[in-house]
Each structure stands twice: as structure tokens, then as C-alpha cells.
Amino acid sequence: MSSCSLQSLVSVREFQSIHNFLFSTADPEMESTWEIDGWGDDWEIERMDVDSSGGKQAAKGWMRECKVAISPNVDYMCISHQDKSVFLHNKSNASDGGSNSFEICWKGVLSEEENEEICYVLCLPLVSLKRTSHGSSEFICFMIGFTSGYLRVYTEAGCLLLSQIFHDTPITEIVCSTFDRWAHLSHGGAIEQKDEVTILHQDSTLVVVDGFSLFQTMRACRSQLAMAAASGTLAQEPPPLACRKWRLNLQSDTTSHVCMPMGEVTPFHRIMNYSLDHVDGQQGNVTLYATVGNAPFVAYYYADEGNTRPILSYVASVVANKLTKQASALISAASGWIKWGAQTATGSAPVPSEEVKKPQPKIAPSTALERHSGLPDTFRRGSKIVLAPGKRGLAALSDSLGRVCLVDLNTRSILRMWKGYRDAEVGFIRTYDDTPSHHRANTIRLSGTAKKLALFIAIYAPRRGILEIWSCIHGPRVGAFNISKHDRLLFPGHGMLGMNLEKSLGSQQMLQCCILTSEGNIKDIFIPFHLALSDSKSNKAHDVHLLKKIAQMLHTKTRAKESSKYSDETETNKDGEEILKLITEMRLCSIQKQALLKFLHTKRIGPTSFIKCISLLSDKYANGSKKEEKDFVRLLQVKQDLIEIYEQMSELNVEYKSPNRFTEWDSLSKKLASDLQLSENESEVAAKLMKKYKDASPSSTVRFQSQLDLSIDVAEFLACFSIEKDEELGYKVSIDEKKSQILGSFLFHSSLFGEVNSEQVVETIKKIKGISTQQKELLQICLLHWQEYECDVYGNHKKLEELINRLDWNTDDDQASLVWFDELKQQVISTSRYPLAAYITTLVIRSHLLSTKQQQQQTESKDESAENTEEAGVEKTEDKLEWETLCLDSEKWNGFMKQMEDSLALNTCIMLGNKILQTPTTSKDAATTADLCPLVSVHDLLTNGTGHPSELIASVLSKSHIHPSLVGMTSSLRDDCDVVGEDDLNEHQQKFIDELIYCRNHRFPFSLSPNFLHSHCFWEEMVKWNKNLQDLTGMKRGLVHLRLISCQPQIQRGLALMAWSTFIHKRILALGRLVEKVGKAPKERLCVKEIGVRDRHMSEFCECASELLQIIADADSDQFPQPATTSNNKLIHGSSEFQSVESNWLDIGGKESIVEMARKQSDVNYKLIQHLMNLIFVLRSTMEFSLRGVKPMTQLFDTFGRKAFEHELTSYDVHLPDCDVTTHTVLGARRKFINNIIETAVMKMTQQSHHDGGDQVNLNDLKEWVVTCIHMSGEFNLSKQQAHIHYIDLLYNHGLDELGAEELEGVSDPEVIASKLLLTVGQRFAFYLNHISPDVGVLIFAQMPTRVSTFINSQELDGLKKADVPLKDTLELAMKVSSILPDFDGEDSLAYQVVEALQAALDA
């Protein structure tokens, strides 16, 4: 709301029955009996007849004779008259739609002494200490003051909690002071307000009850009362209340008071007060008591709250007077008569009160408090004074002369006075700034940040029947209400007892000021914060506040409408009217403009509200004389025109119907040729490309009519336009991509893809002022929208051409038209990722330019015949220049059309590759959108280098797992022979290969050549492996691609060098350091942490690294092509496929391709390659056979060798180790390492032979390992023959005689191995003789020669790994040994004798 209002808060039920009870003279017990028995039901008519008009008027004013109080949380209410009271409780009525109302919870007579009447009532809620009810009230206390001086406290059920007398004169007023959260936050440096209750008696006696003591006492009384009611016993007496009692001197007839803690008065103010008022200054914390009455009109009293160390300069002047007075206020416990409970003795019947003589209560003496100062006025008597909330020290008082004064208690001065308010009732209302701020939005409740506050004073004049709201301190009247003369203004002035800052964070808003009407309705006074800025000097602040409020309302309503599924038009109009009212209340044109722009940019408001707001503001500033107002009127007119255009376009879009799917593919070629001025060949190519692109497009791009909504919000439409100030206040279309999409769909979709006439659309757009200069932007938006709906462009090229013809309405300047069409080509078409839509756009614009020029030439040819020869000669020269320009531009568009054809074919191939990824063989291979290869634009192909087409196809090949041999397949090769992997292709892969062959043969013969593709596929696979080091498939496939590069060893070596330095080198060194550190094959955790590859894949990784180095080493630099220089001084190379690019892409630029980078690699150091291959062999062997005790860096290589590993392969300044000077320590370690590998391999061979013939593949791998070890013995400067002999000896030692026989044939010097094999024969023969029958063994030994028996007995069987070899195999081995040993050798005769012994044993 934007103005003050009285809002209905709650009503009082049975209001008339309350009046009847309070003003009845009958006994209330008899009355309740009559009510129960139904007495008096038939007397209603008679009673109404008795009432006269005067009686009815008096009945309306009965409430002004009552004492009324309401709790600040609006839970309870008390109405009292004379000795009767009614307690009311706020309840929710389910039968009345859930509305709240006050219902009577108790009523009765409260007087306990003769002629005792109620003087004052107060409703005081106590805050709850429970965690579950944080900040809410626990129960209510009704504090009632009587003429006898008693203060009695009751519960909501009428049970007496406490009865105590502090003074024996009637109680005039009870005031409660509680914690105020917002006052604490806004005045952090001020002294905190303590909870206390002050009681003013008729003879100017003031009793101050400590709030903490009262809080604890009330809780204890409540608990005791509950326990006593439950057990039927008497409750214990409550603890005494802590209080102070003052006697206020030098003022008569005190009627009202307020108290305010002042804190500690500074020495300066104490001395100043003493010098001015001749009253002793105060020390320590001081509390100010301001009272109103007579003589003086207002009196001020200062009460010390304790003593502090005196100031010496002050002591010198006042110490003598200070010593004669009392040092401090008397603090005494309540010593009065306390009535507690309803019984007087335990276990006995209650004694009638008239038979018991009541003792006289003991009244504590009071302490005199001298008046500090005052406002004397002999003829004025103060009636009521109330304290404003907060700690500003403001109070309002009313007097007997009909004045209301606003007093500053800090300076004791009257700030303002209102006249003509006799018997006025006053109250204060504090409002908060509810508009969010950027630094404190939504943080007020959590962090306790202070809000902006505004203070208002409410003055109710009952005699005039008017309620006025004024802004403090010097503000104007902000509201006035005509209400009944019999209403009451209720101002509680306090909160809940026991509240603190922590509990207040969760508490509800307390009631400040309300009106109790004579009909029993309670109305809250609502005041907007911006009314505090209603002064004529606060126009800007006033409007800024309203602007913030409008922004908050718009934000809240927008979020609420977005969260709801459906929008109510009535509710929308209501919201618009509410915001419109706030805008019209603004006073400044500049801020009103800001508010209007915010309003117009809010969604879901509707054009009706917008137009109404614009009309009101236009009428307001129509006759404005200021420049700002005139500009604002022009802006309003532009906005109104835009909204009208929005409504017209909305009507056109209603007629849109979704077209049918295009099916005329057979006649597409002829249609393109006739519509777009294409040759027969060009139209056939275009139709073929479009059909292939349609088949390759994913089916998900189809849009249904239910998915398309051409309607947009009017705020979105207005946001698409920006208004720039100029002489005519023109505007332009926004180029923002998101906004252009919205605007393009709204303006052009119905004419591009529907049946809406494009002429109506363009004519509607032309109504926008200044749009004639924005045709390029409009056409750009149209083309962007055309490209976005690429799936619907088939067959709609004619509609696009019509729209372009109508949007190109400035055709006078041909050169300018060509220029901005060329700009559209560069900005929109060439950068488009919708290749088919961009291709059709190119054909349409090319046709449009040709048609335009043809029309102009026809017009010019007709004009030439009417002109003279000289003028015609001049014009012919100009026409020749224009024709040359046209020819040059036509050539550009023809070349661009060829580029678009190539791009369309390439994107078709990419989409077929994406289809392979979208139809995986298993669910685990399903590709996400991020895995698909994106489509490419002409701009991308022109700016990313010659290798960009190969990069895109290589990315598809890498993800689709097509065999590398199929990459370089051509049509001729495919027809002549079968290609490896071709039979395994599915339908999508077959289509992809076919399209790839087409692109290579007709579009990109150089960029998609086999070697180019293999090169990029190799690099793509290496990059893919680098992203997932656990999967070595990518590296293996990449090496296959690298091997398939034919006739280009330089490219092979360059790519391998780049891959080695980028991906392999550092990981090999890391593996070497890791093996050196642990001394064995590391476990998986360390391998993954240091290298990224698992331990079980580490051997394959080393094998691939070794193969990569081998490719580098195999490249022969003599076969590298020598660079030659062309006529343009450009370097070309020998192979035709690397020497040029396609004719349509001669102006290509951007980064170098991977092939060009590989060609520029330097020569390599072959010795360093071999050195690294030796290291890889060691690491691979260690990981393959899980060797232990291996220190490759320190044991197998010297210092120079270790340093050489860090160098690049192209480095020639590295110091490699010399094989001739290798130390014996290194040689011994190498020999031990080689033998360890061979032994491990032979052991694995033995294990393989024990399984059903063994795995031939693994057995061959082990043989290859041994062959490699024998070869590496030579690289390690060891004897190959010794390694080979050791291998053969191990084979026979493990019983692998067949493998040993194969290897024995390849030994160049068999005599060396023969001696070792003879010992193996002897060991086997000895084992045989020890494990046969003793009788047979003795017989064999007896037949042996002595030399043979001695040789057999000397053999040790511990070194033989397998002794139970068949005797036949041992005989064969002995015969081979005897044949190998040279004649005339000592061992030769022994071998023959052993053969004979074996033969004899075999025969036996």
C-alpha cells in the first residue's frame, strides 16, 4: 500500500454481553444463574422498549468509562469497570473461515475490600524459556491496580497469582519497560533498557519493581498454583519483589509518568546542570523520571543507580550538600500484606472473611526524590505522557488545554505542539524500511542488522472523532481518519517481559498502536515507510523509496507467478494496478522514468497495464516545459508504439500453422534451378548434398507443433529494443544473441515456415520509427532464426528469398547493399554451425543479388536510348566499373558457395560418424552429447589450418573404433581386393566410410589423404590415451596408424618424436626412478600415483614406448624429400599430397597442422635412442617378470648413462657411456640381470609345459624374450654366446630337452656347452640309478666301467631342477654330447662310455 490505512486486526465477540456485565447492578452470581436457567430470555423486547435514543447514545460511549488494556502480542485483552473485569483470549474460529476473534475466557468481580475499585489495568506477557517456543510468550499476567493501593496479578483463568501493597493510596498508573530489539540495534552505544515495572500512586509516590525479580516471581507463582491445584494443597508464599520507592517532591496532582535510563552523566553535563538549575549533579548511572501534573506542568527527576568515583572539580563545589542527603535509593523487599491462593489453612475449612480481622499491612517508607527541573505553567495541567519506542528520548503528552506536546527528554525541551485536541489520546508508531538493500538483503533476522526506522505519532481527538498521523519530529500530517467519537486508542508501549536480543530474533512483531472501535473491532494502523519522506524537501528520497518498493514488489510477484503453473489474468491486472498507483505517486520525472522502465521489463504483467501506465504518464507530462519532461514524453510514445506493434504481430502469429514434412525430393533439383537461378549441374549437386545431409541428420532434431510457441511476453519483446537519444529519439534492434533468438521467433517464424504473408510482417515492422537504418540487424536476426530451425528449411527457400527481398528496401545504393551483404556473409553465414541452413542462405542471397542487378541493368538499358552520345559515353564508363564490381562480387559468392558445399559434405561425414557413436554395440559404450564431434563452419575451416578437416575426421575415427586399415581405403582398392576389417563394419560404419571416400575424392583430396588421416589419427589416439592412461588401446591403435603412413619416413619420425617428448619420456624416467627406489617391480598403488599406469599394464606400456623409439630409429634420413622452392618462394615437398591444398581453400590460415609440425622436427641422436631402448628393456623385463633386487639406475648404468636419460632425442651434446671402458661392477650386474631374466623365462616355460601341451602363444613370447635377452647382451657389452649357452643349459636342467635341442643347433661353438651337458647327463643317470630297484642298480653298476661308475657317484643332484627325465631322453642327450665333443678329448671317451652304460640300463 502507498498510504496510511486502518487494517482490521481482530474483533471482539459478545461485545454487548461484556457491556451488560460490566454495567449491570445485579449480583454476578445470580446473573450467571439466570443465564443458566434461561431467565431473562423473554424480557428482551421489554428492555429494548425502555431504551431511548439517549440511552443508545450513552451505550455507545460506555467503553470510554472502562479501563482497557491489550497485550503487545495481541493474545489477550482486559476490559474493567469499577470492580468488575473481563479477560478475553484471541482464538481462531474454524466455523467463521479461520478468522480470529477475542472471546471471553473469564469475567468476574475482583474487589476484595469494601468500596475498592479498579484504577488501572495492564496485560503483561512473559517470554517462554523453552527451546521449542523460541521468542514466544509462555503465559499472560493481568496486573490490576486498585484504589486501596493493592497491586494484584491474575492469570487468564482469573486465578490470583500475587497480591501486594506498596503504598496505601490509589494507584494512578502502571507502566512497564521491556527490551526493545530495534532500539538496541539502532542505538548500540546507549545504555540497555532493563525490564522494570513502575507504579504511580495518587500522592506522587513512585514504586519501581525490578523486572527480573518480577519475572522469576511470576514463574514461581504460576508453578506453585499449578501444583497446588493438582494436589489440593496450599501453595507456598512467593518470594519478595525487589523494589524501590520514591516520593516525588515539588509537584502536585501527578497523573502520569515515564522513565528512561540515561546512562552515566558526563562531568561536563553534571557541572552544566548544576550551574543552570542550581540542582546537585548526579553521579554514576542515572534514570530520568518525567511526570505530568500541575505546578509544574512537567517535572523531571533524576534517580542515581549507584555511586562512582567522584570528579575532584565537581566534589569541590557540591560535596557539602551531598553529604547531607541520602546516598542512594532505599532497596527493600516487599513488606506489604501478601494474599496468596484461595484458602487460609491447610486441612481446615476456610473461615469467613467477615469473622477474621485483617491485620494492617506494613507500608515501607519512601525516599524523597527532589525535582531536578520542570516546565511551570500555572493554568496548564498534564493529563497523559507516553514514551516513544527506541532510545531517542521522545515523549508525547496531552494537557487540559487541548494541546499535544512532543518533548525531548534529553534536553527537557518541547519540540512541537499541536492545538485543538482536547481529551486527546496519543501513541507512537515505528515503521521499518522493508525494501531490500544490496548489502543487507535477507540478512536482517540472521545477523541482527539494524533497519531504517521512521517514527510517527498518532493523535486521537475523541471530541472531533478524528485520528491523525503525523511524522516526527517536524514532518507533515501523513494521514487522517474519521472514526467514531467513542473509540479508544490503545498503545501498550511495552513488549514481553524477560526478552533479550537472542530470543528476539525469533519473536513476532509486537503491536504498537491500534484502535478499539465502539462496535468491538480492533484495527491496526498501517503506515508505509515512504510517508516519512513526505516533506517537500524529501521528494527525491520519497521517490527513491517508492522505486525500491516497486522493485521489491515486482521481484516478489514475478517469482510467485513463475512458481505457479497457471497465471490468473485478474490477479495480473490487480498487480499492475497496485504498481501503477505507486508510479503515479512519484514526484520526480527522472525517478518516474526508472520506475516505468522497471515496470515495462517485468514479465507477466500484460500490455493493457503497460499502455494504461504510459497513457497516464503521457497526460501528466503532455504540457511539460522542461527538456527532461519532453524527452520522457517522446520515450513514452516510442514505448507505446512498440507495444502496439507487439499486439499486431501477436495477431499475425495466431494464424500460424505448422507445415507438413517436405517429401518432394525428386523435383527438388528442378525447383532449386528455377527459384535460385542455378545451373543444372549446380542444382543437382545441391539437391544431392541436401538429401545426404537429411539422411545423416539425427531424428531428434524434429520439432512437433506442440513444442513450438510463437507467443512471447510483452516485456521480453520490449527488452529486445534499446532506445538511443537523438533528435528524433530513434532506436535500434538489440544484437544480443539470446534476445535476437526471441525476437526472430516472434517476428519471422510465421512467415519463414508458415503461411503468413511476409509483406504484412515487413509492413508491421516498418512502423517502428527509425527501423529503416536497422535493416541489416533485422536481416541478421531473420537469418539466425532460419539457421536455428534447420530441420524445417527443406522446400522453404522461396519464403526466405521473399523475406530478404522485402527487408532489402534500400536498394538505391548498390555498393552499400553489397557491402552489408558481405558483412552478413562473414558474421552470420560463414560462422554458422548449421551447414544446410547456411548453404541455402548462400544460394538465396546469391540469387537475390543477381536478380537485383538484372533489374537495374534492364532499367538502365531503357534509359540509355534517350540520352546523347557524350553522356552515354560517361555512363558506359560508370556501368563498366559497376559491372566489374558485380563480376568480382559474383565470383566471391560463387567461391563461397563452393566452400559451403565442401563444408556441407564434411559435416555430413561427421554426422554419420556421430551416428556410429550413438548406436553402440553395448550399453557401456553409449556416447554422451559431449563425446560427439561438433559440426564445423566455414569460418572454422578457414581459421584452423589445413589440417582441421583431418582433425575432425580423426576424432570420429578414434571414437568409432574403425580399423586403421580402412582409413586409407579408396574406391579402386576396395574393388580390387578385400580390406582387413571391412567385413566387421555395421551399417552406419559402412555409410561413414563411403562418405569419407566421397569427401576425399571430390571435396578434400589433400586434407583427407590417407597419410594426412593416419597422422592425425595417430595423434588423436595418443591424446585419447593421455586422458585415460589405464587404457593402452589408444596407444596401440596410434602406433598402427603411424606404421601405415607410407612413403613418408620424415613424417613418421617427426610424429614419433613429438609423441615421445610429449607423452612418453617423462613417464619412462618416472618409472625408472620408482623401480630404483623400491628395488623391484612396484605395486599398483605406486604405479598409478607416479606414472598413471597400472602395474599389470606397465610391460605393455614399455613395449609401446620401445616400438615408438624403434620407428624413430628405422626412419632413414636419406629417404627424406629435399625441399624445393616454387615461383612464389614457398617450400613444397616431394609427395604430392603434402604439397598443396584444395583450390577452394587457398586463403586458409590459422595454426600449423600436426603434419607440418612433424616435418619441422630436427635430426635425432641414434646412440641416445639405443641407450633409452636399453633402459626400457630393463624396465619392461622388471615389470614383466616381477624381478627383485633390481637397481637399474645405479647398478646397470654408470653416471654418464644416468645423465643421458634426461636429454631429448635431438640432443647431440650429450655424453654417452663408452662400452669399452665399462666397469666390471656394472658388467657383473648386467650379466646377473640377463641371467635372471633367462632363468625366470625358462621357469615359466617349464610351468607352461606342465599344462596340456602349454599355451603356444605364451611359449613363443617367452622364446622371444630369451632372444631379446641374448641380443641385449651384446648391447650391454656382454657375450651373446655365454648367454645362449646359459639358456641351453637351463633348458636341459629343467627337462625341456626338445627346446634345448632346437637351441643347440644354433650354437656356433657347441664344444663349450657339451661339457656342461655331460654333467647334466651324469646327474640324471645318478638320479635314475638311485631310484630303481637295488638289485637292478647293482647289476648295472657291476657292468659299468670304473671310470663311468666313479663319474656317476661324484655327481651332486642339488643343482638339477628336474631329474626324473625319461631315460630315453637322457640317452639322446648323451649321444648328442658325444657327437659334439671333439675326438681325442678326455671327455669324448667318457661320453661314449656313458652312452653305453645308458644303453645297457635301458635294455635292462
Side-chain angles (χ1 to χ4, degrees), residues 110 112 139 141-146 150-155 158-166 199 209-210 213-222 225 236-242 334 336-341:
L110 296 180
E112 298 183 4
F139 63 94
C141 291
F142 295 97
M143 306 185 72
I144 312 295
F146 292 89
Y150 272 96
L151 173 68
R152 297 188 180 96
V153 183
Y154 298 89
T155 65
C159 299
L160 181 63
L161 287 177
L162 177 68
S163 178
Q164 187 167 345
I165 186 170
F166 300 99
I199 306 170
V209 179
D210 179 64
S213 175
L214 179 63
F215 181 76
Q216 298 296 336
T217 301
M218 292 297 100
R219 287 178 53 84
C221 292
R222 179 90 174 187
L225 185 63
Q236 299 179 2
E237 293 185 359
L241 293 176
W337 177 252
I338 299 177
K339 294 186 64 178
W340 176 255

Side-chain angles (χ1 to χ4, degrees), residues 508-529:
Q508 63 181 10
Q509 180 69 32
M510 296 290 105
L511 176 67
Q512 299 187 78
C513 201
C514 66
I515 292 292
L516 175 59
T517 66
S518 57
E519 291 80 11
N521 296 320
I522 297 179
K523 295 183 178 181
D524 188 18
I525 304 174
F526 173 76
I527 307 175
F529 178 80

